Amino acid sequence: MKKVVLWMLVLLFVLPLTAHAYIGPGLGSGVIGVVLGILTALFLALTALIWYPLKRLYKLVFKPKESTPERSDTVDTL
């Protein structure tokens, strides 16, 4: 009996007769906007997680050596 009810529910959800709903023309642009927003967020997250540490490592490895001025032990007097 439970299997019959389960199959009836599955068929009810899989094979609907009609859908009484209206999807306006603005839905397409809304879906495109949401998809582009999600893709942009993923790209920026990957950029933050991958690019910035690599950039810091690059600066650390290839940082030019700062030359320190030579120190003289004599004091110049006027």
Side-chain angles (χ1 to χ4, degrees):
M1 182 69 175
K2 288 184 180 182
K3 287 185 179 182
V4 173
V5 172
L6 181 65
W7 277 107
M8 290 175 79
L9 285 174
V10 168
L11 289 176
L12 180 67
F13 287 114
V14 174
L15 303 170
L17 297 177
T18 58
H20 300 287
Y22 174 72
I23 298 175
L27 183 66
S29 61
V31 168
I32 290 171
V34 167
V35 169
L36 288 177
I38 290 172
L39 291 176
T40 303
L42 288 174
F43 175 75
L44 290 175
L46 287 175
T47 301
L49 291 174
I50 294 172
W51 173 250
Y52 287 116
L54 287 177
K55 185 174 157 183
R56 290 179 68 194
L57 180 65
Y58 179 80
K59 283 183 179 181
L60 184 68
V61 170
F62 295 107
K63 182 179 178 183
K65 305 274 192 239
E66 294 181 12
S67 62
T68 58
E70 293 182 20
R71 183 176 170 189
S72 65
D73 293 332
T74 61
V75 177
D76 293 332
T77 58
L78 295 176

